[in-house]
Amino acid sequence: MNPCSLGLIQFLKASPTPFHAVLAAQDRLLNSGFVALNEADAWDLKAGGKYMISRNGSSLIAFKLGADLGSGGIRLIGAHTDSPGLKVKPQPDQKRQGHWTLGVETYGGVLMATWLDRDLSIAGKIAYLDEQGDLKTRLIDFKRPLGIIPNLAIHLRPGANEGWKINAQKELSPVLRLPEEAQGDLRALIQKEFGPQVAEVLEFDLYLYPTEAAGLVGVAEELVCGARLDNLVSCFSALEALADQEGDPSAMVVFNDHEEVGSGTQSGAAGNFLESVLERILPDPQARGRALAQSWFLSADNAHAQHPNYADLHDEAHAPLLGGGPVVKVNANQSYITDAESSARFVQRCRAANIPTQRFATRSDLRCGSTIGPLTARRIGIKGLDVGIPNLAMHSIRETIAAKDLDYLIAAMKAWLAE
């Protein structure tokens, strides 16, 4: 297993939720000499300094300042920390035919059928009272299978193989215990699991996740399969690029939460997180405006790979293949921010580093998805493009990429930041 694939698999294991992904990213950056900042504190930024700042524990910005403190332009890479999944409801405990089940709701565009018959655990953030009655927050991860969403036997749904519409309210509740074994109480389970210091669980942001680890698949182990590849692949690659960046140019990565649900939060790309950090790096409006006019933004989010069983759902001239390199994503209606100049800039750097590139445009009769790219460009007025590596089964509980594309993406991001 090559080092990049191994690193990604370890990062995915450590990142069952956006909160955990940011924590894992901070650990990686601390090991590379980055200093943690707090939004509530005054900042004393210095040339050559390496800094990071989180918001809500689920979004992160990290940056390295050149000798000009960024006034000559900044090379940025953006990605998102969240993935479609199932979020636990605030009053989750249900008793269905005696079984303890949990109430959940879908987060983002979940491929719901893939969540059936999987070993599922629970992770996220809790707000609790400690033994002294003080309000605190902490991350939790049970790490072991707690439940399963059982499919219905084909004998009871004879037409199952012809397909059916899944009812998220009725059919996605995981079973946690057998009838009459115990009265279900998720808050009590959390207290028991995480010790006496958690005197009372008040509220939580908790998610289900599959416990099956990511791994290599294929005759030559050339594929990486796992949960949350969209879009933790981009986060991991950007971290590697920034941590290894050499030279003087100012560089930054921004990881936003809530992209899968519209980004309209204080920690999402439609919020002011990035704008606020840039204002503190370059407080003078004229200097900041001049710097942004010289800056470029690489919005990184996975792209739809050519599916060998559904070739007709792709535009044949714009159907990227697994293993073919990073994909430049283009859309006439500006669902992506790519234009000719930004695309040429990226491709030129990839060519110089012997990195192949591909193009993606959706079929003209299908709706195109979007990214944090347009939101960021609109928010701060920056030029850029959308790229990503090819991905099969996007928004499934288990997605697939090519290991060599991970290597290509990291190399392309390093070239982007090195200019």
Side-chain angles (χ1 to χ4, degrees):
M1 185 182 296
N2 71 42
C4 292
S5 295
L6 177 60
L8 174 63
I9 289 170
Q10 292 173 336
F11 183 67
L12 293 170
K13 183 178 181 180
S15 307
T17 74
F19 306 112
H20 292 83
V22 165
L23 184 62
Q26 289 173 317
D27 287 344
R28 173 70 175 94
L29 293 168
L30 283 172
N31 289 333
S32 298
F34 282 74
V35 176
L37 303 173
N38 189 307
E39 282 194 279
D41 296 337
W43 296 357
D44 181 21
L45 305 178
K46 301 183 183 300
K50 299 190 288 187
Y51 307 96
M52 60 181 174
I53 174 74
S54 69
R55 179 179 281 190
N56 193 42
S58 61
S59 293
L60 177 76
I61 292 175
F63 55 96
K64 175 192 169 188
L65 294 176
D68 61 1
L69 295 175
S71 62
I74 304 174
R75 299 297 168 261
L76 293 94
I77 299 173
H80 63 88
T81 58
D82 60 323
S83 301
L86 300 179
K87 187 176 183 182
V88 180
K89 287 186 173 181
Q91 300 292 346
D93 302 307
Q94 301 173 338
K95 193 170 185 178
R96 291 189 175 184
Q97 305 304 312
H99 299 80
W100 178 17
T101 69
L102 289 184
V104 300
E105 58 184 325
T106 58
Y107 176 91
V110 185
L111 199 55
M112 291 188 284
T114 65
W115 283 77
L116 304 178
D117 304 324
R118 299 280 186 167
D119 296 347
L120 302 174
S121 191
I122 298 172
K125 179 195 286 188
I126 61 171
Y128 66 97
L129 299 179
D130 67 11
E131 293 173 295
Q132 288 71 47
D134 295 326
L135 178 61
K136 295 184 177 180
T137 63
R138 62 167 291 179
L139 302 189
I140 65 169
D141 180 4
F142 282 91
K143 296 186 178 179
R144 68 182 193 277
L146 294 178
I148 192 168
I149 306 171
N151 225 318
L152 184 64
I154 195 167
H155 313 80
L156 302 178
R157 186 187 279 129
N161 289 331
E162 281 72 61
W164 81 97
K165 184 177 181 179
I166 295 175
N167 185 301
Q169 176 70 18
K170 293 176 57 178
E171 299 181 69
L172 292 183
S173 293
V175 175
L176 271 63
R177 293 215 68 170
L178 294 174
E180 311 308 330
E181 289 289 339
Q183 180 65 36
D185 188 337
L186 181 59
R187 286 175 169 82
L189 180 64
I190 293 170
Q191 288 177 262
K192 180 180 178 181
E193 184 79 12
F194 296 99
Q197 71 271 21
V198 180
E200 181 183 358
V201 179
L202 296 180
E203 302 293 344
F204 49 70
D205 289 308
L206 297 177
Y207 300 84
L208 301 182
Y209 74 91
T211 57
E212 182 182 7
L216 297 181
V217 175
V219 173
E221 295 188 329
E222 65 267 54
L223 303 174
V224 181
C225 297
R228 303 177 300 282
L229 294 178
D230 172 27
N231 189 33
L232 292 185
V233 164
S234 298
C235 293
F236 173 79
S237 301
L239 283 171
E240 294 299 298
L242 183 64
D244 293 342
Q245 193 231 11
E246 298 179 353
D248 189 60
S250 295
M252 176 181 288
V253 299
V254 51
F255 301 153
N256 289 117
D257 194 6
H258 302 136
E259 189 274 345
E260 298 291 358
V261 291
S263 298
T265 65
Q266 53 123 9
S267 53
N272 77 331
F273 187 26
L274 176 57
E275 188 175 13
S276 174
V277 170
L278 290 171
E279 288 173 353
R280 298 179 74 164
I281 294 173
L282 294 165
D284 178 69
Q286 184 167 173
R288 186 168 63 254
R290 294 180 64 190
L292 285 173
Q294 302 172 75
S295 299
W296 290 87
F297 180 60
L298 182 73
S299 169
D301 203 345
N302 291 9
H304 293 294
Q306 169 76 68
H307 197 301
N309 297 335
Y310 300 95
D312 60 319
L313 295 180
H314 300 265
D315 181 322
E316 62 182 4
H318 302 89
L321 296 173
L322 292 179
V327 179
V328 177
K329 304 195 290 186
V330 180
N331 179 256
N333 295 304
Q334 299 302 297
S335 290
Y336 307 127
I337 56 172
T338 308
D339 64 13
E341 183 182 5
S342 61
S343 178
R345 191 180 188 89
F346 178 76
V347 170
Q348 180 188 37
R349 280 147 186 76
C350 287
R351 283 182 178 177
N354 295 314
I355 302 165
T357 58
Q358 307 183 79
R359 304 293 186 279
F360 172 78
T362 194
R363 281 177 54 116
S364 300
D365 55 356
L366 292 178
R367 186 181 68 86
C368 180
S370 191
T371 69
I372 66 170
L375 294 172
T376 303
R378 181 171 71 231
R379 186 84 205 185
I380 66 172
I382 192 170
K383 304 180 292 291
L385 79 160
D386 276 281
V387 304
I389 62 172
N391 187 140
L392 287 174
M394 191 178 291
H395 291 195
S396 170
I397 200 171
R398 198 164 179 84
E399 301 168 316
T400 300
I401 63 168
K404 66 166 63 175
D405 284 330
L406 175 65
D407 296 336
Y408 287 144
L409 182 61
I410 294 172
M413 287 181 169
K414 288 180 178 180
W416 181 259
L417 295 182
E419 177 196 1

